[in-house]
Amino acid sequence: TTDYTPMWQELGLDLAGHEALLNVLGTAYTDIYLSQKNRPEGMGYFDFVMSEVHGLRIKELMDEKAAGRKIIGSYCVFVPEEIVLAANATLVGLCSGADFAMEKVEQLLPRNTCALIKSSFGFKIGKVCPYLESADMIVGENTCDGKKKAYETLGTLVDNLYVMDLPQTKTDQTRDLLKAEYMKFKTAVEELTGITVTAESLKSAIDVVNAKRAAIHRLSALRKADPAPISGLDALLANQVFFYDNPARFTESVNKICDELETRIQEKTGAFPAGAPRILVSGCPQAVPNWKLHMIVETAGAVIVGEESCVGERGTRNLTADTGTTVDEMMDAIVDRYFQVDCAIFTPNPQRLDHIQEMVTAYNAQGVIHYGLQFCQPYLMESIPVEKALEEKNIPCLRVETDYGMEDAGQLKTRVEAFIEQL
Ligand code: BJ8
């Protein structure tokens, strides 16, 4: 194996802290992922990606940088990858799914801040995230109160933060606001890279991102089968790697897994036995390496068949329409695509309630687990109307509120088991 230490050193990582993080990650991956039975062979690709997540992939990004390409990091699915690619930059996800340097984080953020925000601060303060350190621009967005106020503080820790304003309602007026923000973002990215977005580059970027989404749509559709040909954990991992990998290679690898899953479905080979209870997870994004809920559910014998989440179908669901030939027309198509994302920061947000029910039907789920991160107002608030809407349709719903720690794992497991029992 290659020694990446010089690269990590060059990036300014804290080597001791970074090694500690990699050890925890490696152990968790072995325990949670490699211990699964009946995995599709194609998951070997993702095992490799994860084993090289701070190695080979970072080396690729560093090579891109050496060749003059810029790296942009983002915390939200509202940041359009199409624009980034069209200006010859690479987009990587920065959301973090593990606690790090919490004492120091709590000197900057209130204790009652969600784990996702705290984690991204922990990775910055602890200097353990090579994606964050390699980024030439970091994009924050005004979404929930936690994030938008946290970015004010993040701006004191990094010198390349760009904050995008996002609407919180959906009207013609706010659509115009989103368009204006995306135009402004396009200009900022063009200034960063020195490359102007053209109709041609935007069209090809739209195609690349759509192909990546289409591959994930194909994977999701195959999860409708009983027995489920792939575990929820493995499908979640594909959805997480969506944010890091080289887009073309990701698309190809996911499509290859899909070919294999089609054969498995024909042969009735499942990751779980036929008739295993089927669960839809809905709620806050599960950033890598947050595999906690999926692990608890699937070691209790149920299979997760879909994620109504930004690391999942809320994030990937619609393609950008292939309409328009000018940059402005294509920007409109991009705005229309992203404006449909039904994040709980929007008010009101009835589309999300509808989408959850559609997913229950489409994936043949018998119950929904609503995943709320502790202190996440938007999703915890919305979990109550979600539960009510599901109850009206006689769809069982379990609302969980948790964080990244394992202290509540036993208690969660008990609740999940009782829930599965009644399905
Ligand atoms: S589009 S879900 S990625 S904002 S968990 S930080 S909401 S307090 S992540 Fe999100 Fe964009 Fe919306 Fe998606 Fe705040 Fe809640 Fe924390 Fe959250």
Side-chain angles (χ1 to χ4, degrees):
T1 53
T2 321
D3 179 15
Y4 293 110
T5 315
M7 177 177 77
W8 293 330
Q9 211 150 17
E10 197 188 316
L11 277 168
L13 295 190
D14 176 82
L15 293 179
H18 181 246
E19 194 183 317
L21 178 72
L22 282 192
N23 285 339
V24 172
L25 188 72
T27 308
Y29 195 77
T30 305
D31 292 351
I32 298 172
Y33 274 88
L34 302 180
S35 68
Q36 293 182 96
K37 303 218 163 57
N38 307 317
R39 295 177 81 203
E41 265 173 41
M43 285 307 296
Y45 172 72
F46 288 103
D47 293 342
F48 177 70
V49 167
M50 284 311 290
S51 69
E52 287 288 339
V53 72
H54 282 195
L56 194 59
R57 183 62 187 135
I58 299 301
K59 169 83 172 59
E60 289 176 350
L61 296 181
M62 297 306 280
D63 289 347
E64 287 184 14
K65 277 164 76 88
R69 204 174 157 97
K70 301 290 182 193
I71 310 298
I72 298 182
S74 134
Y75 295 102
C76 177
V77 300
F78 265 99
V79 178
E81 188 171 9
E82 291 91 337
I83 296 174
V84 172
L85 292 177
N88 199 35
T90 295
L91 188 72
V92 292
L94 294 178
C95 275
S96 334
D99 290 336
F100 202 86
M102 275 308 133
E103 306 79 46
K104 283 185 186 151
V105 171
E106 284 173 8
Q107 287 164 16
L108 293 175
L109 296 172
R111 183 165 290 226
N112 56 356
T113 304
C114 88
L116 216 120
I117 299 174
K118 277 190 188 167
S119 169
S120 33
F121 268 61
F123 278 37
K124 177 66 221 173
I125 298 169
K127 298 205 193 99
V128 291
C129 177
Y131 292 90
L132 192 54
E133 300 309 324
S134 65
D136 299 290
M137 179 198 261
I138 295 168
V139 187
E141 15 56 54
N142 292 335
T143 45
C144 64
D145 285 353
K147 277 198 191 177
K148 73 183 172 217
K149 296 307 284 183
Y151 292 131
E152 293 176 11
T153 305
L154 188 66
T156 65
L157 304 177
V158 300
D159 56 11
N160 51 1
L161 181 70
Y162 175 95
V163 179
M164 180 187 279
D165 201 21
L166 289 182
Q168 308 205 338
T169 58
K170 289 183 178 169
T171 65
D172 291 345
Q173 244 174 338
T174 56
R175 188 206 170 274
D176 291 346
L177 184 122
L178 188 63
K179 169 113 189 254
E181 282 298 320
Y182 280 5
M183 294 305 275
K184 213 167 102 188
F185 177 61
K186 179 171 84 65
T187 306
V189 179
E190 286 170 335
E191 275 166 12
L192 178 76
T193 62
I195 290 171
T196 306
V197 171
T198 64
E200 207 191 353
S201 71
L202 193 52
K203 168 85 178 85
S204 102
I206 289 173
D207 289 347
V208 168
V209 185
N210 273 349
K212 179 163 102 157
R213 290 184 189 123
I216 275 287
H217 295 171
R218 192 178 158 211
L219 179 75
S220 305
L222 295 169
R223 297 170 76 187
K224 293 175 182 173
D226 182 28
I230 183 168
S231 68
L233 270 167
D234 279 338
L236 173 65
L237 187 67
N239 276 287
Q240 290 174 331
V241 171
F242 183 93
F243 293 91
Y244 300 89
D245 204 0
N246 170 282
R249 184 176 55 207
F250 177 85
T251 303
E252 195 193 309
S253 309
V254 171
N255 276 320
K256 219 153 129 208
I257 292 179
C258 291
D259 294 340
E260 183 188 349
L261 297 187
E262 279 170 1
T263 312
R264 280 167 74 101
I265 291 171
Q266 266 169 12
E267 292 168 351
K268 298 214 172 299
T269 307
F272 284 78
R278 301 168 65 88
I279 308 261
L280 179 79
V281 168
S282 166
C284 292
Q286 287 152 298
V288 81
N290 175 10
W291 303 308
K292 183 176 166 183
L293 180 67
H294 277 55
M295 182 208 40
I296 290 173
V297 171
E298 295 200 327
T299 50
V303 55
I304 292 173
V305 292
E307 293 81 24
E308 189 280 319
S309 159
C310 279
V311 182
E313 201 158 310
R314 190 189 314 123
T316 57
R317 149 180 204 225
N318 300 301
L319 299 185
T320 296
D322 184 15
T323 51
T325 48
T326 65
V327 168
D328 194 63
E329 286 164 354
M330 284 185 254
M331 287 295 290
D332 273 320
I334 290 171
V335 172
D336 288 337
R337 189 258 159 205
Y338 285 87
F339 205 45
Q340 295 177 67
V341 174
D342 45 9
C343 171
I345 61 132
F346 284 92
T347 179
N349 192 31
Q351 294 89 346
R352 178 164 172 248
L353 266 54
D354 295 341
H355 185 221
I356 296 170
Q357 295 171 63
E358 280 163 26
M359 284 186 76
V360 168
T361 312
Y363 296 97
N364 237 319
Q366 289 145 295
V368 174
I369 298 184
H370 191 282
Y371 176 75
L373 278 175
Q374 205 179 8
F375 311 123
C376 168
Q377 294 284 3
Y379 283 91
L380 291 177
M381 285 267 184
E382 210 162 89
S383 72
I384 295 170
V386 165
E387 182 181 47
K388 278 215 177 97
L390 291 169
E391 270 172 358
E392 276 166 23
K393 298 263 166 71
N394 288 318
I395 303 161
C397 176
L398 175 71
R399 289 191 287 130
V400 307
E401 185 179 335
T402 186
D403 57 17
Y404 292 169
M406 289 311 269
E407 293 78 16
D408 64 347
Q411 187 210 346
L412 262 181
K413 197 169 168 60
T414 309
R415 288 184 64 205
V416 165
E417 280 168 351
F419 181 68
I420 294 171
E421 198 69 19
Q422 59 150 74
L423 295 178

